[in-house]
Structure formats: C-alpha cells, structure tokens
Amino acid sequence: MAKIAWVTDSTAFLNNELRNHPHLYQIPMTIIMDDKEFTDGVDLTPEELYASLKTLDTPPKTSQPSIGAFRDLYENLQKDYDCIIAVLVSAKLSGTVSSSEQAAQLVDIPVHSIDSKILSYPLTRLILKGMELAEAGLDIKDIIRRLEALRDTGETYVLIGSLEQLHRSGRMFGVQFFLGSMLNVKPIISVHDGELSVKEKARSERKAKDKIVKLLRDAHERKPLKEVFILYGLHPEEAETWKKELQGEFTGVEFGCYSLGATIGVHAGENTLGISWLNGLE
C-alpha cells in the first residue's frame, strides 16, 4: 500500500489532533495588513486579526503560498512518502491549487492536487474521508475519484459578517454590496462549484437563518444527513446557540462548530456564520 502524505493550506480547519497528525502537512497563507506580512496561524490568530481590522488604514489582503513553499515541502516529503495528495482551497477563490500544481512539476514524487471547491471544515472533512479510504486499502486513483465525487455533493450557505469587507476584498460585486447596504437586506451567500454567489436575500438575520434551515431540511428529506458543519468567524457562542436550535429539529444528525480562521476572516468579517454539509457523505 502506497504511503501517502496529505497536504492542505491554512484555510482548512485543523484541531489539535490533526495539527499533530504524523502524515498531514499544512502550508500557511500570508495575510498583509498595512504593508506588514503575517503568516496565518503562525504569528497571527483570528482574534488578533479581527482586533487589527478595526484600526487598519488600508483593506487587508491575503496571499496564496508560493510555488517555492510547496516545492520545498514536496522535496522534503519525497524522502519518506510514495505520493502526495494535496486537498486545497477553491481554485476560484485562490491561486493555491495552481501553486501546488506548478511545484509538482519540480519534484520527483507524484503529487495529486485536488481543488476542494470549498474552504474551512468542509475541506478538512474531505481530507478525513480520504484518510479513511486510504486506510480501507483503496488505491490512489480511486481515492481521488471518490473525493472529487463527494466534494461535488457539498452545499454551503453563509451569512457574511461584513459585506463591506467582502466587497473591499474583491470577493463581491459592487452592485450586490450596494443593494445589501442600501436596502438593509441580508444576503445568503452560497459557495457553489467553488465560487461565491447570492443564493437568496432576506430582511433580517433571523429570516435568513430560517431560509438556510429550509435548505438544510430539504436536503435532509431527500437523503438523511449524518453530519452538518456550522462555521463561524470569531464568536463560537453564536454557532453553539444555532447548533442547539438545529439539534432540536434534526435528531440523529451530528452537528459540529468550526472556526473559519484568519484568512477567511479577512474577507468575511468576525460576525460571519454559515452552515455546510456533504450530501454524499456515507
């Protein structure tokens, strides 16, 4: 059985167990604030980021890991592994997949770069599933095929904490921002096929959450879900409150709450709250 190194970027949610996993490696993003560079998760926490956002002179930016950073990691890994599977943030939101693919041309170990078409914990869940499949003895081609099929069953809906930040970061068109701010509309942002779009609009956060719950209910009625992921910016208590509400209706579904992290916080804001699931998760 091939010995696989798993690689991801710092938009993925890693708990302590995964951070210490012997075969999982994480390449950090760079966050630029007022011309100073910070390494996501190394010298900048989400709490520090959100505190800094209130005092910045210019909008913060994020930068994907360089080709060189991937190449250096892959060269080290080729000493101990037969192949690398890199599960990375959506290629439509970042150039990280491209950096990995270009680095793969420079090393002597097979590298399979998978565009997760998502970020945060849904990305992490794909890695965990891949590890399960490898443990079950599937070969590399089958693992990749199964992960890409599972990825394409995902649904993610987000209430953005700061439309202004999303707009300033270039991740949302000006017209949509204008309508949202002028009419006091709460847009429900969908992550579909790796990119952001406005799924629906509501007059309040409560109504927006009700619409998201209906989308969850519809999915659960089509095929019972086992796991649902609640994603939050800086405030876990909001996620936990929503989790308790949802557990009351969706008995038998496992709900988990996961931080979006600093890189995503740059674009979305501290009050962001979202929900995600994989319809194909067995």
Side-chain angles (χ1 to χ4, degrees):
M1 190 163 61
K3 189 175 182 187
I4 303 169
W6 295 87
V7 172
T8 192
D9 55 71
S10 60
T11 67
F13 173 90
L14 301 189
N15 59 18
N16 285 333
E17 184 181 348
L18 285 172
R19 270 194 288 271
N20 295 312
H21 192 286
H23 306 303
L24 177 60
Y25 302 85
Q26 188 174 41
I27 286 197
M29 301 283 195
T30 299
I31 297 171
I32 303 154
M33 297 193 293
D34 285 347
D35 297 324
K36 291 181 185 173
E37 289 194 0
F38 299 87
T39 305
D40 183 16
V42 177
D43 52 18
L44 185 72
T45 66
E47 290 78 11
E48 290 166 340
L49 166 77
Y50 292 123
S52 299
L53 287 177
K54 294 164 184 168
T55 62
L56 292 179
D57 296 326
T58 55
K61 296 176 183 175
T62 55
S63 177
Q64 70 216 39
S66 67
I67 298 166
F70 275 108
R71 182 199 60 219
D72 292 347
L73 174 61
Y74 294 167
E75 282 178 346
N76 282 330
L77 294 178
Q78 69 190 23
K79 301 167 192 169
D80 300 308
Y81 294 93
D82 300 313
C83 75
I84 296 166
I85 299 179
V87 187
L88 303 165
V89 62
S90 169
K92 289 181 180 174
L93 299 177
S94 168
T96 303
V97 171
S98 176
S99 289
S100 174
E101 288 173 340
Q102 291 178 72
Q105 306 298 316
L106 308 173
V107 295
D108 296 323
I109 182 172
V111 179
H112 307 276
S113 302
I114 297 177
D115 175 5
S116 73
K117 298 187 180 179
I118 193 64
L119 33 71
S120 188
Y121 187 78
L123 189 169
T124 308
R125 191 63 185 87
L126 290 174
I127 296 168
L128 290 170
K129 184 62 179 179
M131 289 175 170
E132 289 172 32
L133 296 171
E135 197 69 31
L138 273 71
D139 66 27
I140 302 299
K141 282 185 181 175
D142 278 341
I143 291 171
I144 291 165
R145 181 180 56 78
R146 293 272 294 271
L147 287 184
E148 289 178 340
L150 177 59
R151 166 199 70 189
D152 292 339
T153 70
E155 292 185 61
T156 301
Y157 303 103
V158 181
L159 301 175
I160 297 295
S162 172
L163 287 176
E164 183 181 0
Q165 261 172 251
L166 190 65
H167 170 61
R168 289 168 82 192
S169 74
R171 296 307 197 274
M172 191 172 189
F173 294 119
V175 172
Q176 292 168 344
F177 167 68
F178 176 77
L179 287 173
S181 58
M182 290 298 290
L183 303 178
N184 198 25
V185 165
K186 193 76 178 173
I188 298 168
I189 305 295
S190 168
V191 185
H192 178 68
D193 196 32
E195 60 188 344
L196 306 182
S197 61
V198 178
K199 172 75 175 176
E200 289 190 50
K201 294 172 185 170
R203 285 290 180 183
S204 68
E205 180 159 318
R206 181 70 263 170
K207 287 181 178 175
K209 285 168 85 173
D210 288 345
K211 288 190 175 192
I212 292 175
V213 173
K214 184 180 184 307
L215 292 164
L216 173 62
R217 193 178 296 124
D218 291 346
H220 190 54
E221 285 172 0
R222 285 193 302 271
K223 182 185 177 185
L225 298 167
K226 292 185 178 177
E227 295 178 38
V228 173
F229 327 126
I230 300 174
L231 314 172
Y232 64 89
L234 184 61
H235 304 293
E237 60 277 7
E238 291 178 22
E240 288 291 340
T241 298
W242 202 11
K243 173 182 170 180
K244 284 175 186 166
E245 287 177 24
L246 292 167
Q247 283 175 323
E249 176 177 350
F250 298 92
T251 53
V253 177
E254 182 185 334
F255 288 90
C257 298
Y258 307 96
S259 166
L260 286 165
T263 301
I264 301 166
V266 164
H267 304 293
E270 67 177 73
N271 292 308
T272 297
L273 197 59
I275 196 164
S276 180
W277 61 87
L278 295 162
N279 289 296
L281 197 59
E282 298 296 337

